[in-house]
Amino acid sequence: MTKYDYDLFVIGGGSGGVRASRMAALAGARVALAEEWRMGGTCVIRGCIPKKLLVYASQFSENFLDAPGYGWTLGEPKFDWPTLIANKDREIDRLEGLYKTNVEKAGVTILQDRAVFEDEHTLLLVNSQKKITAEKILIATGNRPTREMGTSHVIPGGELCITSDEAFHLEKLPRRILIAGGGYIALEFAHIFHGLGAKVSLVYRGEKPLRGFDDDMRDALCASMQDRGLEVLLGCEFTKIEKRGDCLHAETNKGAVIECDQIMLAIGRQPNTMALHVEKAGVELGRKGEVKVDGYSRTSAPHIYAIGDVTDRMQLTPVAIHEAMCFVETAFKNNPTRPDHAHVPSAVFTTPELAAVGLTEMAALGLGHSIDVYKSTFKPLLHTLGGRGVRTLMKLIVDAKTDKVLGCHIFGDHAAEIIQIVAVALKMGATKKDFDGTIALHPTAAEELVTMRTKSYSKTP
Ligand code: NDP
């Protein structure tokens, strides 16, 4: 019999914490989980799921544009933001309920409270002022949008901006919105607001958005945004923001003053370790405040682990879930298992989508591979009658020596759905010959991936 109240105490009821607590409880451990707000975490409450619902809503406007080419005559379409937000909130409430039920069904005690460290085995519940001890502790507190703009100083007026957290609950759809950042969240929300009818300007400090993605995909996305009427301001940063009447005025480093109704910051996220008092338990943090972990998600205190966004490894829900499963194997099943962060597919839910798995052309060359590159760009069948000039771009990076497919990149409709399955092939070590030997499924966009016979070019490092 252990001297602790619980075998495992999980801090945070997001994707990682929920999965770890359920699996540990099902493996026989006595588990408690503290969540200070709502069960489900960023993904369910104010991230992936509500975002995708807004993406679906935003795409109707383009379907209406395509409809006449297919013989449909429509009346004047009207969009009502409060209806969308209310319906989205109802679905999120339903999902939150399911999460809670599943965790409880597994035998986990849910404590609706904020937990902070008292010492290496003791947690204080801040609201109830109760102390709880546990043999093992898992930190799965996630992260939050950063508001710190600027490299050397905080931008005056930054507090007037919203982040993605507030974007999900705006009272009305802004008529004009500026979005700062060039990552996943900035680009997804830029397309959401544009599709719903707002005038959108993306303000990005670099030379093209989506650093880390393949350059051809980044160029295709930039061109597509401009074609669709989204303004993309590159090499641009805010220097000052102020409220004048009902409007916001943003001054930029280019000397411009832009008037708008909302400004959204999507300039990265910071780990939720503030006031968690991890130092009382001997847990070390990194430069950004992330919990430092080893290959098994173990912190500098051997009985304390951390998974998901708070570790700032890969900020993706399925990665947090995978890390949770590996944690339970390691800490409760006597089967030390390292999370595998290779071949993780990801997608940016712009319209159309940008999705990728494996290495970019630049990364492959950087790692010393000689590569053959296969590229295809085409007008998807849907758009032949629709009449808009939308194109899809697909790209395969192949190791010239081994014939292994090192990376696959798609900018086009349904890219995310396609890349999920390509990830299976890459994980299994598929070669270009395997792709070529696979019979096409016609007529689809995905068939292009198994019919690219002519090499576009080769490169050596
Ligand atoms: P990202 O890290 O993707 O992008 C941050 C962006 O902000 C970058 O373009 C960065 O520029 C810019 N930036 C950083 N600091 C500043 C600054 N001080 N001033 C101006 N610009 C700045 O962060 P996000 O917030 O978009 O998303 C966080 C993470 O969440 C993502 O990395 C992703 O892992 C995950 N996510 C995944 C989604 C999905 O799977 N579809 C959807 C949403 C989020 P630079 O490139 O120059 O550094």
Side-chain angles (χ1 to χ4, degrees), residues 150 182-185 188 204-205 211 266-269 315-316 347:
Y184 285 79
I185 298 180
E188 292 180 344
Y204 175 52
R205 65 181 179 181
R211 196 154 55 84
I267 53 173
R269 299 177 64 88
Q315 300 172 34
L316 297 169

Side-chain angles (χ1 to χ4, degrees), residues 382-459:
L382 171 73
H383 296 295
T384 52
L385 301 196
R388 288 185 297 125
V390 177
R391 296 188 72 77
T392 289
L393 172 64
M394 293 186 174
K395 181 169 176 183
L396 289 178
I397 318 285
V398 179
D399 187 301
K401 282 200 194 105
T402 62
D403 197 43
K404 264 199 183 166
V405 179
L406 300 172
C408 177
H409 308 267
I410 303 176
F411 178 61
D413 293 333
H414 314 298
E417 302 287 349
I418 300 170
I419 282 289
Q420 173 67 88
I421 301 308
V422 174
V424 179
L426 261 63
K427 188 105 192 151
M428 293 173 73
T431 58
K432 178 70 168 62
K433 199 163 159 241
D434 294 322
F435 274 62
D436 294 345
T438 302
I439 307 271
L441 196 161
H442 186 70
T444 61
E447 68 180 304
E448 203 65 26
L449 291 176
V450 296
T451 53
M452 286 195 226
R453 294 287 186 269
T454 313
K455 188 167 45 178
S456 303
Y457 53 86
S458 298
K459 275 190 183 169

Side-chain angles (χ1 to χ4, degrees), residues 8-69:
L8 172 66
F9 193 97
V10 177
I11 315 176
S15 306
V18 160
R19 179 61 65 96
S21 65
R22 277 180 53 222
M23 290 300 138
L26 292 172
R30 296 171 309 132
V31 184
L33 178 151
E35 168 56 55
E36 64 178 326
W37 194 47
R38 297 181 64 179
M39 289 293 285
T42 300
C43 171
V44 175
I45 308 296
R46 45 192 178 192
C48 320
I49 300 295
K51 178 272 310 284
K52 189 99 187 255
L53 294 173
L54 299 197
V55 169
Y56 285 136
S58 71
Q59 289 174 337
F60 279 89
S61 52
E62 294 205 338
N63 295 337
F64 297 145
L65 289 179
D66 294 337

Side-chain angles (χ1 to χ4, degrees), residues 47-60 79 81 83-89 164 166-170 173 188-189 191-193 195-196 349 351:
C48 320
I49 300 295
K51 178 272 310 284
K52 189 99 187 255
L53 294 173
L54 299 197
V55 169
Y56 285 136
S58 71
Q59 289 174 337
F60 279 89
F79 171 69
W81 171 264
T83 303
L84 170 64
I85 297 303
N87 290 346
K88 178 264 295 175
D89 285 343
S164 57
E166 294 81 32
F168 287 115
H169 292 106
L170 291 175
L173 178 69
E188 292 180 344
F189 272 94
H191 285 82
I192 288 169
F193 284 121
L196 295 177
F349 290 96
T351 300

